[in-house]
Amino acid sequence: MQETKSSSAMATEALRKVATRETNEIDKFVGERIRLYRVMLGINQQKLAKDLGVTFQQLQKYERGENRIGAGRLLMVANALGIPISFLLDEEGFSQRHADTNAADMEISQIARDAYSIGRAFSQITDPAIRRSITTLVQSLVRQTEWTEV
């Protein structure tokens, strides 16, 4: 006589299969955030990979969302980058990225490319006074934008 599995057991087995290996959009988003902050801070893949105890190829897979990154390793990434882990798990940013309209998706994509470019250039400025001036300028522009939108 053949035993039948309960629906609960079958559901648990199905979830286990899905949850173990397959990556999803959240994994890709987190990987993109890791890359964004790594580049903004001027850290190369080789150094970050060494700090995490993985190969740079493994770090590349994390950044492309090809491999899932566990909670413990994600905390190690945040610590190595010197940022709060919440920066890598920004739910609002993920929601914005998956907006319903193509126009919103294209705008967010352009913003991400611009932020990457600005962050990369900013990380190459060695004079702390210039970096502070740029930061002050950007914050001032944000405040000005907030006033004009009211």
Side-chain angles (χ1 to χ4, degrees):
M1 184 171 155
Q2 189 177 28
E3 289 185 37
T4 60
K5 292 183 181 178
S6 71
S7 61
S8 175
M10 289 189 306
T12 301
E13 184 177 327
L15 284 173
R16 188 176 301 124
K17 286 180 183 178
V18 171
T20 55
R21 295 283 174 211
E22 295 177 21
T23 60
N24 57 39
E25 288 301 309
I26 295 172
D27 298 309
K28 291 176 185 168
F29 175 79
V30 169
E32 289 171 2
R33 297 298 291 231
I34 292 170
R35 182 173 191 269
L36 175 69
Y37 283 106
R38 177 183 60 75
V39 171
M40 283 175 49
L41 295 169
I43 300 172
N44 66 34
Q45 283 182 327
Q46 194 73 30
K47 179 179 179 347
L48 182 56
K50 183 179 178 189
D51 291 348
L52 299 176
V54 299
T55 64
F56 83 91
Q57 292 94 337
Q58 179 62 38
L59 180 61
Q60 285 177 327
K61 289 180 181 181
Y62 288 148
E63 288 184 353
R64 289 191 302 250
E66 293 175 9
N67 284 6
R68 300 190 98 167
I69 183 165
R73 178 90 61 207
L74 192 60
L75 183 58
M76 289 174 65
V77 171
N79 288 338
L81 294 174
I83 60 173
I85 194 168
S86 61
F87 284 17
L88 302 174
L89 301 170
D90 177 21
E91 185 178 342
E92 183 178 315
F94 181 76
S95 298
Q96 286 179 351
R97 178 178 170 200
H98 292 86
D100 293 335
T101 65
N102 288 336
D105 287 343
M106 288 174 35
E107 182 180 349
I108 291 166
S109 180
Q110 183 61 49
I111 291 170
R113 284 192 298 274
D114 291 345
Y116 170 78
S117 177
I118 291 168
R120 186 175 184 127
F122 186 82
S123 69
Q124 294 173 358
I125 298 170
T126 57
D127 186 335
I130 294 174
R131 289 175 75 133
R132 277 192 304 276
S133 295
I134 292 170
T135 302
T136 303
L137 171 66
V138 171
Q139 290 170 340
S140 173
L141 292 170
V142 168
R143 282 191 298 274
Q144 183 180 3
T145 303
E146 289 172 352
W147 281 103
T148 58
E149 289 179 354
V150 174

